[in-house]
Amino acid sequence: WWNYHRNTQHKLKERKAMTVDASNNSEGVMIVLEAEETTQSLVSLTDLNETLTKSLERKGLSVLSSSSFEKEALVIILKEGYVVLRSWPEHRYCAFDLVLWTSLDKLDAVKDKLVAAVGAELTSSYNIVVGGMKGVASVEIPKFPADTDPDSSAKMGQHASAPTPFELGDLDAILEETISLIQRVDPTIIVFCPGKAKSCQSLEALKDSEAKVLPIRACASGEDMKRDIACESTTLHVMKSAVMNSAPHERKIAAIVIDPGAPKKMGLVLKKVFSNLQTMTELLSAQYVLLAPGLDSSEPWYIPLFEWFRT
């Protein structure tokens, strides 16, 4: 499960900017990289350390320190993350763990540099969305007006009615890296969005995806938690139509994305729809992803929903 929290927020024009520690508002990506049939020697970790350090610095990363262990492992600590190398020279093989919690736009270029540094002729890799590191950097996020308690809505279990776009600009990266973990060709993805009059940031971020992405606009809102049978019926119909209109080998929903602007009541609708075990079996892939991208450490309304799905 990849669950990124987002706090309640007011419109950007109503707030002032402030700089805060990113320790509670950070995310990162790990690339697990295997390099085979290397043409560069893997015997000397000292030489490898020098080569890799230069390669990382050329890509604009800041190397802080490095250490080697048992003549087989090398760790390079960066301001932006870290690199771990494990090598088996006799097999011309090595493996990298590359983690960045900032400068995510450099991931692919850094990966290519690591491959080039060892001269690998055969590689394989996969990406994992991970958490950030306390105190690594500061980020710009909007500030609440002085007369507003930023935790008041969270304490009431409410969700912001008009959340603003992510100021960190990492939503695209979070969704792209997470959706890339779905091991299906042209998967079907359902995005729960705000009402028709509001923008759906997650839908916009996925517009260039090769997946079949279908939005479900909020048909229920408000603070009362009474059942909205009409909305449940509409939601179920949209999901069934998405499955039926998919290719025969993909007639299951591979991922459900809850946009930061989706109202809490749509979570109740989603839960009611899938309370029927037969419906869940018919619509959801055996290995599906439930994702709520956000950038906050407080507990938003969809945490209990995720726990319900998990159990």
Side-chain angles (χ1 to χ4, degrees):
W1 303 92
W2 295 270
N3 178 15
Y4 288 85
H5 303 170
R6 176 188 176 91
N7 196 3
T8 53
Q9 297 186 352
H10 293 264
K11 294 180 180 179
L12 181 59
K13 64 181 181 181
E14 296 175 350
R15 292 170 282 161
K16 300 179 182 179
M18 73 174 183
T19 301
V20 299
D21 191 332
S23 58
N24 292 326
N25 296 281
S26 56
E27 69 290 318
V29 175
M30 169 186 282
I31 294 182
V32 179
L33 171 65
E34 292 185 290
E36 303 178 57
E37 299 181 14
T38 58
T39 57
Q40 300 298 319
S41 173
L42 302 177
V43 175
S44 173
L45 290 183
T46 300
D47 292 343
L48 279 173
N49 182 30
E50 183 178 351
T51 300
L52 293 174
T53 296
K54 289 180 180 179
S55 297
L56 294 169
E57 289 177 338
R58 288 193 188 104
K59 284 301 172 183
L61 300 181
S62 302
V63 177
L64 301 180
S65 64
S66 62
S67 302
S68 59
F69 303 90
E70 299 182 356
K71 299 181 180 180
E72 294 180 351
L74 174 66
V75 179
I76 300 176
I77 305 300
L78 310 169
K79 182 179 179 181
E80 301 83 0
Y82 63 83
V83 176
V84 177
L85 164 73
R86 291 175 295 278
S87 64
W88 289 263
E90 65 277 17
H91 299 296
R92 298 172 57 202
Y93 170 88
C94 65
F96 293 95
D97 290 344
L98 166 63
V99 175
L100 293 183
W101 39 74
T102 62
S103 302
L104 299 183
D105 57 310
K106 298 179 180 179
L107 273 168
D108 289 338
V110 173
K111 181 179 74 170
D112 292 342
K113 279 291 185 181
L114 296 178
V115 171
V118 296
E121 297 180 353
L122 181 63
T123 64
S124 61
S125 65
Y126 60 91
N127 302 350
I128 304 173
V129 179
V130 297
M133 177 60 68
K134 179 179 175 63
V136 169
S138 292
V139 296
E140 282 282 319
I141 66 169
K143 181 181 179 181
F144 289 90
D147 58 350
T148 302
D149 178 5
D151 294 324
S152 59
S153 294
K155 292 174 182 177
M156 295 293 291
Q158 301 173 358
H159 196 66
S161 60
T164 57
F166 284 95
E167 285 71 32
L168 302 184
D170 283 335
L171 179 59
D172 288 16
I174 293 172
L175 288 172
E176 181 181 352
E177 296 298 335
T178 303
I179 297 304
S180 70
L181 299 176
I182 300 175
Q183 301 298 312
R184 306 193 70 170
V185 178
D186 300 327
T188 297
I189 300 173
I190 299 295
V191 181
F192 276 75
C193 294
K196 293 181 179 179
K198 301 175 182 178
S199 64
C200 186
Q201 197 178 354
S202 300
L203 185 63
E204 183 67 19
L206 289 169
K207 67 180 181 179
D208 296 326
S209 171
E210 295 180 357
K212 180 181 179 181
V213 182
L214 296 173
I216 293 182
R217 290 288 178 175
C219 51
S221 59
E223 296 309 315
D224 70 280
M225 289 294 104
K226 295 180 180 179
R227 284 190 65 180
D228 190 325
I229 297 177
C231 185
E232 291 172 19
S233 178
T234 299
T235 300
L236 178 59
H237 174 74
V238 172
M239 288 194 285
K240 283 187 174 181
S241 298
V243 169
M244 292 303 298
N245 293 328
S246 300
H249 65 287
E250 292 299 329
R251 286 188 173 168
K252 296 280 187 176
I253 296 171
I256 296 176
V257 177
I258 300 176
D259 186 77
K264 177 181 179 180
K265 199 162 184 177
M266 286 305 293
L268 178 62
V269 169
L270 180 62
K271 180 179 177 180
K272 288 295 184 181
V273 168
F274 286 118
S275 292
N276 186 310
L277 181 59
Q278 182 177 350
T279 300
M280 179 177 285
T281 303
E282 290 177 353
L283 296 182
L284 290 182
S285 169
Q287 295 179 325
Y288 63 91
V289 173
L290 182 60
L291 174 68
L295 297 170
D296 184 41
S297 59
S298 64
E299 183 168 308
W301 61 262
Y302 45 76
I303 292 296
L305 176 66
F306 274 41
E307 290 299 317
W308 181 82
F309 269 94
R310 194 161 67 103
T311 57

